[in-house]
Amino acid sequence: VQLQASGGGLVQAGGSLRLSCAASGRTFSSYAMGWFRQAPGKEREFVGGIGSTRGTWYADFVKGRFAISRDNAKNTVYLQMNSLKSEDTAVYYCAASTAWGSSRLSGYDYWGQGTQVTVSS
């Protein structure tokens, strides 16, 4: 499966942004999907994930600010980000996994190219 993330940009602190990840291939609905991010000089970290048919899981730092959803008919997964902070500035990546519930980079088999999110304070 090939993944294309989009929707990044510049936003003020406290604002919102919705990222999209479009997938190619007819098997999208069989994959769990995850979002990761990588800030300059830092390791890539898990943000949240969504199962193929059920459930979401999130990193602790999300604290109810972010929400992941998916539309299998459109082969797209979304990351809604609210109450953005300067520390949310990073390149955001989407990824696909055959396993439910993974928060590890090694748990994901396919990766998109990333989209830049910059939060100004």
Side-chain angles (χ1 to χ4, degrees):
V1 61
Q2 292 183 322
L3 305 173
Q4 179 83 27
S6 62
L10 175 64
V11 62
Q12 289 187 334
S16 298
L17 207 58
R18 188 177 81 157
L19 306 183
S20 299
C21 175
S24 64
R26 293 173 291 178
T27 59
F28 171 76
S29 61
S30 67
Y31 288 94
M33 299 297 295
W35 285 97
F36 290 76
R37 70 184 188 183
Q38 188 167 17
K42 295 187 177 181
E43 295 185 350
R44 193 171 300 188
E45 64 179 352
F46 174 74
V47 174
I50 186 167
S52 59
T53 58
R54 63 175 177 88
T56 54
W57 57 100
Y58 297 97
D60 289 343
F61 66 79
V62 169
K63 294 181 180 178
R65 298 185 299 125
F66 296 180
I68 297 174
S69 61
R70 67 189 295 164
D71 185 339
N72 287 338
K74 295 182 178 180
N75 278 13
T76 302
V77 62
Y78 304 97
L79 176 64
Q80 177 68 43
M81 303 186 292
N82 301 320
S83 302
L84 283 162
K85 307 174 182 179
S86 57
E87 50 263 44
D88 294 319
T89 294
V91 176
Y92 283 72
Y93 299 87
C94 59
S97 173
T98 56
W100 189 95
S102 179
S103 61
R104 304 179 66 173
L105 275 71
S106 60
Y108 290 79
D109 306 293
Y110 303 96
W111 291 82
Q113 87 292 357
T115 184
Q116 175 71 48
V117 172
T118 303
V119 183
S120 63
S121 57

